[in-house]
Amino acid sequence: MFRTTELSDPRFETGNLRYITVKTPNLKGRGDICVFVPPLDTLANLPLVILLHGVYGGSWVWTQKAGVHLSAWQMMEGGEIPPMVIAMPSDGLWGDGSGYVPHNGHNFEKWIIEDVPMAVMANITSVDKKSPLFISGLSMGGFGALRLGVKYRERFKAISAHSSITDLDQMALFVEEPLEGYLQEDERENSVWSLIQDNPNSLPKLRFDCGTEDLLLEYNRKLHQQLQDKRISHVYEEFPGGHQWEYWSEHVKDTLRFFGGTIDQYII
């Protein structure tokens, strides 16, 4: 499956977090995944949430800047959401951000779609091929979640995104690498809306949100309006806040609730 795999030792893990590093041809090297595994026994085929970070980040940022693992476990203990495993991969660590698209000889898309689920299933016994799959992210990761969730709609049960880039040209707001390096030959691949229009009637359940002081607000409002105009079912929400961790650490809980609402409930 992978030429090499390293898995953290339970004796030294904290916060119910596990760490996986695999070597994959898609990255032409190694990729990291931080995984939250709820401390429960005998549960199988748990839902798997793939949670994507934004520019400048890595596999650790969702836990160490938003405490998502703490929020998730508190919500599970309180019965707000069913048990689920959360996989937080690096984006491939190219430049300021890979965009989660193929470019420059690396396939950052296949890393997320193929390698990450396989690496988790190979190392986390509570996740298997029967596990329902979800995808979410923030900013560049929101673009990744929307784009990949829509493109690979048959794989995902639901999509949720925060403060999202909605078109690849918006990467220029954040990265120093030339935009031309990100753009795909098929122009439809550069836009969330273009991919949605390819097959609007078979989308996974979809939600996204944005802060009212966010520099990407108008792009998110435009996507919402496009979906409304075509009567495509979705949830769009706005909350006070900007493009910052205080916003994402709070509203990732909305994502977990949204995903949890699509899952048959377990009792802890």
Side-chain angles (χ1 to χ4, degrees):
M1 187 176 300
F2 299 104
R3 183 179 178 275
T4 60
T5 300
E6 286 287 340
L7 178 65
S8 55
D9 189 322
R11 293 178 300 164
F12 310 116
E13 295 166 352
T14 59
N16 304 304
L17 297 174
R18 309 213 69 192
Y19 300 89
I20 304 169
T21 298
V22 296
K23 186 178 183 183
T24 166
N26 289 318
L27 297 181
K28 296 186 176 180
R30 290 162 292 137
D32 288 329
I33 311 168
C34 174
V35 189
F36 167 73
V37 184
L40 302 166
D41 296 326
T42 69
L43 289 182
N45 48 272
L46 285 185
L48 175 61
V49 175
I50 298 176
L51 188 56
L52 305 179
H53 66 78
V55 292
Y56 323 136
S59 59
W60 57 269
V61 294
W62 268 112
T63 60
Q64 304 307 305
K65 293 180 80 75
V68 67
H69 58 308
L70 303 176
S71 296
W73 178 235
Q74 184 179 43
M75 294 169 75
M76 291 177 204
E77 285 190 300
E80 277 193 81
I81 60 173
M84 57 183 72
V85 172
I86 304 176
M88 294 157 278
S90 73
D91 69 327
L93 302 180
W94 184 91
D96 281 327
S98 72
Y100 302 101
V101 295
H103 60 85
N104 287 280
H106 300 76
N107 200 322
F108 304 105
E109 178 174 312
K110 284 189 175 181
W111 156 242
I112 298 300
I113 291 297
E114 297 178 2
D115 295 333
V116 169
M118 281 197 300
V120 174
M121 285 188 284
N123 291 282
I124 307 300
T125 57
S126 52
V127 178
D128 57 34
K129 291 182 179 179
K130 294 181 180 179
S131 295
L133 191 59
F134 301 85
I135 192 164
S136 182
L138 67 88
S139 192
M140 177 186 75
F143 174 76
L146 292 168
R147 180 181 174 276
L148 297 177
V150 168
K151 182 175 180 179
Y152 297 93
R153 60 194 76 200
E154 73 284 355
R155 302 191 185 194
F156 293 100
K157 192 173 181 69
I159 306 163
S160 182
H162 308 282
S163 312
S164 301
I165 288 173
T166 60
D167 194 293
L168 265 178
D169 62 9
Q170 295 156 31
M171 284 289 288
L173 297 170
F174 300 98
V175 304
E176 67 175 3
E177 287 75 24
L179 181 62
E180 292 75 17
Y182 292 95
L183 297 178
Q184 304 296 292
E185 187 172 337
D186 182 346
E187 291 186 358
R188 294 175 302 173
E189 295 278 346
N190 298 323
S191 164
V192 172
W193 176 239
S194 293
L195 288 175
I196 288 173
Q197 290 184 93
D198 280 350
N199 201 342
N201 298 317
S202 62
L203 297 177
K205 292 185 177 180
L206 171 64
R207 79 166 295 280
F208 59 109
D209 62 65
C210 196
T212 52
E213 287 77 53
D214 197 301
L215 77 167
L216 297 175
L217 179 61
E218 293 307 317
Y219 301 117
N220 282 259
R221 284 178 171 173
K222 180 179 178 181
L223 179 60
H224 167 54
Q225 189 63 54
Q226 289 169 320
L227 290 163
Q228 275 195 320
D229 290 346
K230 294 296 184 180
R231 299 175 184 261
I232 297 173
S233 178
H234 69 289
V235 175
Y236 173 66
E237 297 178 286
E238 292 180 5
F239 303 99
H243 207 78
Q244 58 200 52
W245 279 104
E246 289 82 1
Y247 180 90
W248 302 317
S249 63
E250 179 60 31
H251 294 292
V252 70
K253 299 173 189 176
D254 298 314
T255 281
L256 299 178
R257 293 185 190 100
F258 180 69
F259 290 164
T262 72
I263 301 167
D264 293 335
Q265 297 292 308
Y266 291 81
I267 299 176
I268 296 180

